Amino acid sequence: MRAEVQPSRLLHIFDVPQILASGMPIAIFNQIRQQIAAGHTVLSVNFWPPNVSPQRLAEFQAAAPNEPRIATSMRDLIRGVHELSGGVDQIYSHGLWSRSALCALFLPKSSCAKIRHAPHGALDQAAMHYGYLKKQFSWHLTQKWALSRAGTLIATSTRELEGIKRHLPRANIQLVPLSVPSIAPVPAPDGPRRRLLYFGRIHPIKGIGAILEAWKEIHQHLPDWDLDLIGPQEEPWTSHFKKQVDNLNLPRVSFHPEVKPDERFEALATGNLVLAPSLTENFGLVIAEALALGRTVIASEQTGWEARSGLVLFSSQAEFQRVMLAEASKISKATAVARAIS
């Protein structure tokens, strides 16, 4: 017989200035919703820029119910965490290189023991490469000590666990894979054109350059396919990749802004083939969601996933181009056969 979960009071601390349909925000809010559904009382304190738009603030309050607190200064953030931390059973701290990640430095040891800090892949070698000097300075000055004060560090994959160990070999690390909400498979689009879809941040660490280089080599073989990239338009990287598209004279490439969280699965379902060539992933939530929707995913071995039904892995640029062309051609052929039969 399954034991009943005892309701607890939980506190989440994070620094999420936008509610984006990708990455860390989705992982946080999935966890919050699941904890509330399990009967827990979930409180939250979020650092938020003082000039936030009312619409985005309303989106956050909908994503993190139970009277979420907004802090617009480090002082307000620390005060809010102090007021709530003594009356909760566990404290969840999220991310690094942020104000919220420093809160452990200002809490008593009795409260620090309750902290379960999830870096969300921030300590991976590839992630550390971008903004390296700034991150090294921040790590040795504050972030390392804040992370060391947490009672438990949470890794969402074996790859991330090993990365955390390299930086904090004596830390108490727990492996807790991200949970994916129940998703029913959705039929692939059946229009006259098909879609290669990337869904995530527009950033070099996500392998955008590899996608464009591969498309340069294969687009002429796939005249009925389009390449769409959906996600937060990060500058200067968005301008950099749009310029790369122009310089390579790439046809049928479109960049689209991020969608709202409740439109996430609908957007993913519009792809016939999903691309995930990241240089690193702490878990790869998009991969899990796309597979659940019934899409074939082409992913880099650096994402930490193992090959399985519907998931094709590659280890080099040449292999990426080859499997992209092969899988797209397979889908085109299957669609043509299905139309001929009907």
Side-chain angles (χ1 to χ4, degrees):
M1 185 174 177
R2 190 175 180 180
E4 291 187 12
V5 176
Q6 292 297 317
S8 300
R9 287 176 62 82
L10 310 174
L11 171 62
H12 286 261
I13 312 167
F14 42 87
D15 191 336
V16 179
Q18 297 184 62
I19 308 303
L20 303 176
S22 61
M24 187 173 73
I26 289 296
I28 293 171
F29 295 126
N30 278 351
Q31 186 178 27
I32 288 175
R33 283 191 289 267
Q34 289 159 1
Q35 289 171 341
I36 291 173
H40 302 299
T41 298
V42 183
L43 310 174
S44 62
V45 182
N46 183 16
F47 179 84
W48 202 282
N51 59 346
V52 63
S53 71
Q55 180 181 355
R56 285 184 173 173
L57 183 56
E59 288 176 359
F60 163 71
Q61 290 170 328
N66 289 27
E67 301 182 9
R69 293 198 182 191
I70 301 296
T72 57
S73 70
M74 189 65 188
R75 180 179 178 180
D76 289 340
L77 180 67
I78 295 169
R79 182 188 294 124
V81 171
H82 259 286
E83 289 176 359
L84 297 174
S85 60
V88 297
D89 301 297
Q90 288 188 335
I91 301 170
Y92 291 82
S93 184
H94 299 275
L96 283 181
W97 327 124
S98 63
R99 298 165 183 84
S100 60
L102 300 178
C103 284
L105 293 174
F106 304 94
L107 290 175
K109 285 189 176 181
S110 58
S111 292
C112 287
K114 305 176 186 177
I115 294 178
R116 296 167 62 81
H117 195 133
H120 292 280
L123 289 176
D124 187 273
Q125 285 181 320
M128 292 286 284
H129 172 74
Y130 293 95
Y132 179 79
L133 293 178
K134 187 183 294 185
K135 287 178 178 177
Q136 285 294 316
F137 178 79
S138 177
W139 172 251
H140 291 289
L141 184 66
T142 57
Q143 302 275 239
K144 176 180 180 179
W145 311 113
L147 218 58
S148 299
R149 285 173 64 85
T152 306
L153 300 184
I154 301 298
T156 54
S157 67
T158 302
R159 176 192 175 95
E160 185 180 13
L161 187 149
E162 292 170 351
I164 295 173
K165 276 185 176 180
R166 281 195 295 270
H167 291 277
L168 295 169
R170 297 181 181 179
N172 176 31
I173 310 173
Q174 187 176 355
L175 179 61
V176 184
L178 296 180
S179 55
V180 180
S182 297
I183 310 170
V186 176
D190 192 27
R193 303 200 61 75
R194 279 160 284 279
R195 194 182 201 193
L196 283 163
L197 179 65
Y198 164 82
F199 192 96
R201 294 165 55 204
I202 306 302
H203 191 282
I205 202 170
K206 295 297 184 178
I208 307 297
I211 294 175
L212 299 181
E213 288 292 338
W215 185 242
K216 179 186 73 170
E217 300 299 326
I218 68 173
H219 71 79
Q220 67 271 25
H221 303 294
L222 301 171
D224 57 344
W225 283 77
D226 301 310
L227 172 60
D228 286 357
L229 301 98
I230 301 177
Q233 309 291 298
E234 297 189 25
E235 292 296 346
W237 300 117
T238 300
S239 297
H240 169 80
F241 290 122
K242 286 182 177 180
K243 186 176 181 180
Q244 185 177 351
V245 168
D246 292 337
N247 290 342
L248 295 175
N249 196 26
L250 300 181
R252 309 187 304 280
V253 179
S254 299
F255 289 83
H256 305 271
E258 72 270 15
V259 299
K260 294 181 179 179
D262 58 359
E263 299 171 349
R264 178 182 178 84
F265 299 148
E266 182 180 348
L268 261 177
T270 63
N272 297 85
L273 184 60
V274 175
L275 308 176
S278 298
L279 304 183
T280 179
E281 286 289 353
N282 59 312
F283 178 76
L285 190 58
V286 167
I287 297 173
E289 292 170 341
L291 291 173
L293 285 166
R295 298 297 179 270
T296 295
V297 180
I298 299 176
S300 163
E301 290 183 351
Q302 299 304 311
T303 58
W305 282 68
E306 296 180 357
R308 63 186 69 190
S309 177
L311 178 60
V312 183
L313 300 177
F314 69 89
S315 59
S316 67
Q317 181 68 29
E319 191 177 5
F320 185 30
Q321 293 166 193
R322 180 180 61 77
V323 296
M324 193 189 301
L325 178 58
E327 293 300 321
S329 299
K330 190 186 304 181
I331 291 172
S332 293
K333 185 178 294 185
T335 303
V337 170
R339 286 176 180 169
I341 294 174
S342 61

mmCIF file of all heavy atoms in Angstrom, residues 201-236:
data_model
loop_
_atom_site.group_PDB
_atom_site.id
_atom_site.type_symbol
_atom_site.label_atom_id
_atom_site.label_comp_id
_atom_site.label_asym_id
_atom_site.label_seq_id
_atom_site.Cartn_x
_atom_site.Cartn_y
_atom_site.Cartn_z
ATOM 1 N N ARG A 201 16.511 28.619 -26.090
ATOM 2 C CA ARG A 201 17.214 29.907 -26.128
ATOM 3 C C ARG A 201 18.004 30.051 -27.420
ATOM 4 O O ARG A 201 18.588 29.083 -27.913
ATOM 5 C CB ARG A 201 18.179 30.016 -24.958
ATOM 6 C CG ARG A 201 17.550 30.075 -23.596
ATOM 7 C CD ARG A 201 18.582 29.806 -22.514
ATOM 8 N NE ARG A 201 19.731 30.701 -22.613
ATOM 9 C CZ ARG A 201 20.942 30.417 -22.135
ATOM 10 N NH1 ARG A 201 21.166 29.254 -21.550
ATOM 11 N NH2 ARG A 201 21.927 31.288 -22.246
ATOM 12 N N ILE A 202 18.019 31.271 -27.949
ATOM 13 C CA ILE A 202 18.855 31.554 -29.114
ATOM 14 C C ILE A 202 20.228 31.956 -28.582
ATOM 15 O O ILE A 202 20.517 33.124 -28.325
ATOM 16 C CB ILE A 202 18.244 32.675 -29.981
ATOM 17 C CG1 ILE A 202 16.796 32.327 -30.356
ATOM 18 C CG2 ILE A 202 19.082 32.888 -31.235
ATOM 19 C CD1 ILE A 202 16.626 31.019 -31.103
ATOM 20 N N HIS A 203 21.083 30.931 -28.404
ATOM 21 C CA HIS A 203 22.387 31.125 -27.750
ATOM 22 C C HIS A 203 23.354 30.078 -28.296
ATOM 23 O O HIS A 203 22.947 28.942 -28.591
ATOM 24 C CB HIS A 203 22.228 30.969 -26.233
ATOM 25 C CG HIS A 203 23.418 31.382 -25.436
ATOM 26 N ND1 HIS A 203 24.532 30.579 -25.309
ATOM 27 C CD2 HIS A 203 23.681 32.514 -24.724
ATOM 28 C CE1 HIS A 203 25.428 31.192 -24.555
ATOM 29 N NE2 HIS A 203 24.937 32.364 -24.186
ATOM 30 N N PRO A 204 24.639 30.404 -28.438
ATOM 31 C CA PRO A 204 25.598 29.438 -28.984
ATOM 32 C C PRO A 204 25.643 28.113 -28.240
ATOM 33 O O PRO A 204 25.880 27.059 -28.853
ATOM 34 C CB PRO A 204 26.939 30.177 -28.867
ATOM 35 C CG PRO A 204 26.586 31.614 -28.864
ATOM 36 C CD PRO A 204 25.266 31.720 -28.163
ATOM 37 N N ILE A 205 25.435 28.134 -26.918
ATOM 38 C CA ILE A 205 25.530 26.899 -26.144
ATOM 39 C C ILE A 205 24.467 25.892 -26.558
ATOM 40 O O ILE A 205 24.592 24.688 -26.306
ATOM 41 C CB ILE A 205 25.439 27.203 -24.626
ATOM 42 C CG1 ILE A 205 26.057 26.053 -23.827
ATOM 43 C CG2 ILE A 205 23.992 27.450 -24.198
ATOM 44 C CD1 ILE A 205 26.226 26.356 -22.362
ATOM 45 N N LYS A 206 23.427 26.370 -27.230
ATOM 46 C CA LYS A 206 22.339 25.495 -27.671
ATOM 47 C C LYS A 206 22.583 24.901 -29.056
ATOM 48 O O LYS A 206 21.725 24.192 -29.588
ATOM 49 C CB LYS A 206 21.016 26.262 -27.661
ATOM 50 C CG LYS A 206 20.576 26.696 -26.269
ATOM 51 C CD LYS A 206 20.306 25.507 -25.374
ATOM 52 C CE LYS A 206 19.772 25.920 -24.020
ATOM 53 N NZ LYS A 206 19.452 24.756 -23.153
ATOM 54 N N GLY A 207 23.742 25.201 -29.662
ATOM 55 C CA GLY A 207 24.079 24.590 -30.952
ATOM 56 C C GLY A 207 23.398 25.230 -32.148
ATOM 57 O O GLY A 207 23.254 24.585 -33.188
ATOM 58 N N ILE A 208 23.023 26.500 -32.040
ATOM 59 C CA ILE A 208 22.351 27.173 -33.161
ATOM 60 C C ILE A 208 23.260 27.220 -34.387
ATOM 61 O O ILE A 208 22.817 27.001 -35.517
ATOM 62 C CB ILE A 208 21.932 28.611 -32.768
ATOM 63 C CG1 ILE A 208 21.110 28.605 -31.475
ATOM 64 C CG2 ILE A 208 21.149 29.256 -33.901
ATOM 65 C CD1 ILE A 208 19.812 27.875 -31.561
ATOM 66 N N GLY A 209 24.548 27.495 -34.158
ATOM 67 C CA GLY A 209 25.485 27.541 -35.276
ATOM 68 C C GLY A 209 25.547 26.215 -36.021
ATOM 69 O O GLY A 209 25.623 26.180 -37.259
ATOM 70 N N ALA A 210 25.508 25.104 -35.285
ATOM 71 C CA ALA A 210 25.547 23.778 -35.911
ATOM 72 C C ALA A 210 24.311 23.537 -36.771
ATOM 73 O O ALA A 210 24.390 22.930 -37.849
ATOM 74 C CB ALA A 210 25.652 22.705 -34.834
ATOM 75 N N ILE A 211 23.163 24.015 -36.309
ATOM 76 C CA ILE A 211 21.924 23.867 -37.080
ATOM 77 C C ILE A 211 22.040 24.601 -38.412
ATOM 78 O O ILE A 211 21.709 24.065 -39.480
ATOM 79 C CB ILE A 211 20.716 24.406 -36.289
ATOM 80 C CG1 ILE A 211 20.457 23.557 -35.051
ATOM 81 C CG2 ILE A 211 19.461 24.435 -37.168
ATOM 82 C CD1 ILE A 211 19.357 24.100 -34.143
ATOM 83 N N LEU A 212 22.520 25.835 -38.369
ATOM 84 C CA LEU A 212 22.605 26.644 -39.591
ATOM 85 C C LEU A 212 23.637 26.065 -40.560
ATOM 86 O O LEU A 212 23.416 26.046 -41.782
ATOM 87 C CB LEU A 212 22.947 28.084 -39.226
ATOM 88 C CG LEU A 212 21.916 28.801 -38.335
ATOM 89 C CD1 LEU A 212 22.356 30.241 -38.058
ATOM 90 C CD2 LEU A 212 20.526 28.775 -38.954
ATOM 91 N N GLU A 213 24.770 25.587 -40.032
ATOM 92 C CA GLU A 213 25.781 24.971 -40.898
ATOM 93 C C GLU A 213 25.236 23.708 -41.558
ATOM 94 O O GLU A 213 25.500 23.438 -42.743
ATOM 95 C CB GLU A 213 27.039 24.655 -40.091
ATOM 96 C CG GLU A 213 27.866 25.869 -39.695
ATOM 97 C CD GLU A 213 28.524 26.549 -40.890
ATOM 98 O OE1 GLU A 213 28.709 25.883 -41.940
ATOM 99 O OE2 GLU A 213 28.856 27.737 -40.775
ATOM 100 N N ALA A 214 24.470 22.919 -40.812
ATOM 101 C CA ALA A 214 23.882 21.700 -41.375
ATOM 102 C C ALA A 214 22.852 22.048 -42.448
ATOM 103 O O ALA A 214 22.804 21.408 -43.512
ATOM 104 C CB ALA A 214 23.234 20.876 -40.261
ATOM 105 N N TRP A 215 22.050 23.068 -42.185
ATOM 106 C CA TRP A 215 21.021 23.466 -43.153
ATOM 107 C C TRP A 215 21.659 23.955 -44.460
ATOM 108 O O TRP A 215 21.133 23.724 -45.551
ATOM 109 C CB TRP A 215 20.140 24.539 -42.543
ATOM 110 C CG TRP A 215 18.962 24.954 -43.385
ATOM 111 C CD1 TRP A 215 18.719 26.190 -43.893
ATOM 112 C CD2 TRP A 215 17.861 24.142 -43.800
ATOM 113 N NE1 TRP A 215 17.540 26.206 -44.599
ATOM 114 C CE2 TRP A 215 16.989 24.959 -44.562
ATOM 115 C CE3 TRP A 215 17.527 22.807 -43.605
ATOM 116 C CZ2 TRP A 215 15.807 24.485 -45.124
ATOM 117 C CZ3 TRP A 215 16.355 22.323 -44.174
ATOM 118 C CH2 TRP A 215 15.510 23.153 -44.917
ATOM 119 N N LYS A 216 22.811 24.598 -44.334
ATOM 120 C CA LYS A 216 23.525 25.056 -45.533
ATOM 121 C C LYS A 216 23.838 23.885 -46.465
ATOM 122 O O LYS A 216 23.752 24.005 -47.692
ATOM 123 C CB LYS A 216 24.820 25.758 -45.114
ATOM 124 C CG LYS A 216 25.669 26.250 -46.301
ATOM 125 C CD LYS A 216 27.001 26.795 -45.835
ATOM 126 C CE LYS A 216 27.947 25.706 -45.387
ATOM 127 N NZ LYS A 216 29.332 26.190 -45.139
ATOM 128 N N GLU A 217 24.165 22.729 -45.880
ATOM 129 C CA GLU A 217 24.567 21.566 -46.672
ATOM 130 C C GLU A 217 23.404 20.750 -47.202
ATOM 131 O O GLU A 217 23.550 20.052 -48.212
ATOM 132 C CB GLU A 217 25.483 20.669 -45.821
ATOM 133 C CG GLU A 217 26.748 21.342 -45.332
ATOM 134 C CD GLU A 217 27.637 21.819 -46.467
ATOM 135 O OE1 GLU A 217 27.669 21.154 -47.522
ATOM 136 O OE2 GLU A 217 28.290 22.862 -46.299
ATOM 137 N N ILE A 218 22.243 20.829 -46.565
ATOM 138 C CA ILE A 218 21.165 19.892 -46.925
ATOM 139 C C ILE A 218 19.892 20.556 -47.442
ATOM 140 O O ILE A 218 19.000 19.854 -47.943
ATOM 141 C CB ILE A 218 20.804 18.980 -45.735
ATOM 142 C CG1 ILE A 218 20.149 19.789 -44.608
ATOM 143 C CG2 ILE A 218 22.029 18.234 -45.221
ATOM 144 C CD1 ILE A 218 19.604 18.921 -43.474
ATOM 145 N N HIS A 219 19.757 21.877 -47.350
ATOM 146 C CA HIS A 219 18.469 22.492 -47.682
ATOM 147 C C HIS A 219 18.036 22.218 -49.118
ATOM 148 O O HIS A 219 16.842 22.091 -49.417
ATOM 149 C CB HIS A 219 18.493 23.998 -47.400
ATOM 150 C CG HIS A 219 19.343 24.800 -48.343
ATOM 151 N ND1 HIS A 219 18.947 25.158 -49.607
ATOM 152 C CD2 HIS A 219 20.586 25.328 -48.178
ATOM 153 C CE1 HIS A 219 19.892 25.869 -50.195
ATOM 154 N NE2 HIS A 219 20.903 25.982 -49.345
ATOM 155 N N GLN A 220 19.013 22.112 -50.034
ATOM 156 C CA GLN A 220 18.648 21.885 -51.431
ATOM 157 C C GLN A 220 18.032 20.508 -51.645
ATOM 158 O O GLN A 220 17.314 20.281 -52.626
ATOM 159 C CB GLN A 220 19.866 22.078 -52.356
ATOM 160 C CG GLN A 220 20.970 21.049 -52.180
ATOM 161 C CD GLN A 220 21.987 21.459 -51.132
ATOM 162 O OE1 GLN A 220 21.704 22.242 -50.217
ATOM 163 N NE2 GLN A 220 23.210 20.935 -51.272
ATOM 164 N N HIS A 221 18.298 19.575 -50.719
ATOM 165 C CA HIS A 221 17.725 18.231 -50.816
ATOM 166 C C HIS A 221 16.344 18.143 -50.160
ATOM 167 O O HIS A 221 15.670 17.112 -50.274
ATOM 168 C CB HIS A 221 18.657 17.218 -50.142
ATOM 169 C CG HIS A 221 20.041 17.202 -50.708
ATOM 170 N ND1 HIS A 221 20.326 16.789 -51.991
ATOM 171 C CD2 HIS A 221 21.226 17.574 -50.156
ATOM 172 C CE1 HIS A 221 21.637 16.892 -52.214
ATOM 173 N NE2 HIS A 221 22.200 17.370 -51.110
ATOM 174 N N LEU A 222 15.938 19.200 -49.477
ATOM 175 C CA LEU A 222 14.667 19.200 -48.752
ATOM 176 C C LEU A 222 13.847 20.442 -49.130
ATOM 177 O O LEU A 222 13.579 21.311 -48.297
ATOM 178 C CB LEU A 222 14.926 19.179 -47.240
ATOM 179 C CG LEU A 222 15.735 17.999 -46.694
ATOM 180 C CD1 LEU A 222 16.107 18.235 -45.233
ATOM 181 C CD2 LEU A 222 14.961 16.698 -46.849
ATOM 182 N N PRO A 223 13.425 20.542 -50.390
ATOM 183 C CA PRO A 223 12.742 21.757 -50.844
ATOM 184 C C PRO A 223 11.388 22.005 -50.192
ATOM 185 O O PRO A 223 10.907 23.141 -50.198
ATOM 186 C CB PRO A 223 12.590 21.526 -52.356
ATOM 187 C CG PRO A 223 12.622 20.036 -52.514
ATOM 188 C CD PRO A 223 13.581 19.549 -51.467
ATOM 189 N N ASP A 224 10.784 20.966 -49.612
ATOM 190 C CA ASP A 224 9.468 21.136 -48.985
ATOM 191 C C ASP A 224 9.569 21.248 -47.456
ATOM 192 O O ASP A 224 8.582 21.096 -46.744
ATOM 193 C CB ASP A 224 8.531 19.983 -49.363
ATOM 194 C CG ASP A 224 9.087 18.615 -48.998
ATOM 195 O OD1 ASP A 224 10.309 18.520 -48.736
ATOM 196 O OD2 ASP A 224 8.313 17.637 -48.972
ATOM 197 N N TRP A 225 10.787 21.532 -46.956
ATOM 198 C CA TRP A 225 11.005 21.699 -45.519
ATOM 199 C C TRP A 225 11.403 23.143 -45.214
ATOM 200 O O TRP A 225 12.086 23.799 -46.003
ATOM 201 C CB TRP A 225 12.122 20.770 -45.023
ATOM 202 C CG TRP A 225 11.683 19.341 -44.864
ATOM 203 C CD1 TRP A 225 11.506 18.428 -45.849
ATOM 204 C CD2 TRP A 225 11.391 18.669 -43.634
ATOM 205 N NE1 TRP A 225 11.117 17.211 -45.325
ATOM 206 C CE2 TRP A 225 11.035 17.336 -43.962
ATOM 207 C CE3 TRP A 225 11.395 19.054 -42.307
ATOM 208 C CZ2 TRP A 225 10.692 16.394 -42.998
ATOM 209 C CZ3 TRP A 225 11.059 18.108 -41.339
ATOM 210 C CH2 TRP A 225 10.702 16.802 -41.689
ATOM 211 N N ASP A 226 10.982 23.619 -44.030
ATOM 212 C CA ASP A 226 11.382 24.918 -43.511
ATOM 213 C C ASP A 226 12.109 24.711 -42.188
ATOM 214 O O ASP A 226 11.860 23.738 -41.476
ATOM 215 C CB ASP A 226 10.164 25.814 -43.274
ATOM 216 C CG ASP A 226 9.364 26.047 -44.537
ATOM 217 O OD1 ASP A 226 9.964 26.421 -45.558
ATOM 218 O OD2 ASP A 226 8.129 25.832 -44.514
ATOM 219 N N LEU A 227 12.991 25.639 -41.847
ATOM 220 C CA LEU A 227 13.719 25.603 -40.578
ATOM 221 C C LEU A 227 13.226 26.748 -39.704
ATOM 222 O O LEU A 227 13.383 27.920 -40.058
ATOM 223 C CB LEU A 227 15.235 25.735 -40.816
ATOM 224 C CG LEU A 227 16.118 25.914 -39.578
ATOM 225 C CD1 LEU A 227 15.973 24.737 -38.628
ATOM 226 C CD2 LEU A 227 17.581 26.094 -39.991
ATOM 227 N N ASP A 228 12.619 26.418 -38.573
ATOM 228 C CA ASP A 228 12.084 27.422 -37.649
ATOM 229 C C ASP A 228 12.779 27.302 -36.303
ATOM 230 O O ASP A 228 12.941 26.194 -35.767
ATOM 231 C CB ASP A 228 10.578 27.247 -37.465
ATOM 232 C CG ASP A 228 9.797 27.717 -38.682
ATOM 233 O OD1 ASP A 228 10.422 28.230 -39.622
ATOM 234 O OD2 ASP A 228 8.562 27.561 -38.699
ATOM 235 N N LEU A 229 13.174 28.437 -35.745
ATOM 236 C CA LEU A 229 13.818 28.486 -34.430
ATOM 237 C C LEU A 229 12.946 29.330 -33.518
ATOM 238 O O LEU A 229 12.739 30.527 -33.778
ATOM 239 C CB LEU A 229 15.222 29.066 -34.535
ATOM 240 C CG LEU A 229 16.180 28.294 -35.466
ATOM 241 C CD1 LEU A 229 16.249 28.966 -36.838
ATOM 242 C CD2 LEU A 229 17.578 28.183 -34.883
ATOM 243 N N ILE A 230 12.426 28.715 -32.467
ATOM 244 C CA ILE A 230 11.522 29.391 -31.535
ATOM 245 C C ILE A 230 12.205 29.520 -30.183
ATOM 246 O O ILE A 230 12.695 28.529 -29.631
ATOM 247 C CB ILE A 230 10.205 28.601 -31.362
ATOM 248 C CG1 ILE A 230 9.497 28.438 -32.703
ATOM 249 C CG2 ILE A 230 9.297 29.283 -30.352
ATOM 250 C CD1 ILE A 230 8.216 27.595 -32.612
ATOM 251 N N GLY A 231 12.228 30.721 -29.634
ATOM 252 C CA GLY A 231 12.795 30.871 -28.294
ATOM 253 C C GLY A 231 13.145 32.303 -27.979
ATOM 254 O O GLY A 231 13.080 33.187 -28.838
ATOM 255 N N PRO A 232 13.534 32.549 -26.727
ATOM 256 C CA PRO A 232 13.925 33.893 -26.310
ATOM 257 C C PRO A 232 15.021 34.468 -27.205
ATOM 258 O O PRO A 232 16.040 33.819 -27.438
ATOM 259 C CB PRO A 232 14.432 33.681 -24.877
ATOM 260 C CG PRO A 232 13.757 32.437 -24.416
ATOM 261 C CD PRO A 232 13.628 31.571 -25.623
ATOM 262 N N GLN A 233 14.798 35.660 -27.711
ATOM 263 C CA GLN A 233 15.741 36.297 -28.635
ATOM 264 C C GLN A 233 16.814 37.038 -27.837
ATOM 265 O O GLN A 233 16.672 38.215 -27.519
ATOM 266 C CB GLN A 233 14.992 37.255 -29.555
ATOM 267 C CG GLN A 233 13.786 36.628 -30.245
ATOM 268 C CD GLN A 233 14.172 35.589 -31.288
ATOM 269 O OE1 GLN A 233 14.829 35.912 -32.269
ATOM 270 N NE2 GLN A 233 13.768 34.345 -31.092
ATOM 271 N N GLU A 234 17.882 36.334 -27.491
ATOM 272 C CA GLU A 234 18.940 36.918 -26.675
ATOM 273 C C GLU A 234 19.922 37.704 -27.539
ATOM 274 O O GLU A 234 20.435 37.199 -28.533
ATOM 275 C CB GLU A 234 19.683 35.825 -25.903
ATOM 276 C CG GLU A 234 18.811 35.078 -24.914
ATOM 277 C CD GLU A 234 19.622 34.160 -24.011
ATOM 278 O OE1 GLU A 234 20.826 34.420 -23.815
ATOM 279 O OE2 GLU A 234 19.045 33.187 -23.508
ATOM 280 N N GLU A 235 20.167 38.946 -27.153
ATOM 281 C CA GLU A 235 21.168 39.754 -27.856
ATOM 282 C C GLU A 235 22.494 39.686 -27.099
ATOM 283 O O GLU A 235 22.493 39.580 -25.871
ATOM 284 C CB GLU A 235 20.693 41.204 -27.968
ATOM 285 C CG GLU A 235 19.483 41.383 -28.880
ATOM 286 C CD GLU A 235 19.776 41.024 -30.340
ATOM 287 O OE1 GLU A 235 20.971 40.892 -30.709
ATOM 288 O OE2 GLU A 235 18.813 40.862 -31.100
ATOM 289 N N PRO A 236 23.633 39.706 -27.804
ATOM 290 C CA PRO A 236 23.765 39.959 -29.238
ATOM 291 C C PRO A 236 23.650 38.722 -30.113
ATOM 292 O O PRO A 236 23.845 38.791 -31.328
ATOM 293 C CB PRO A 236 25.187 40.519 -29.339
ATOM 294 C CG PRO A 236 25.937 39.743 -28.278
ATOM 295 C CD PRO A 236 24.948 39.587 -27.137
#
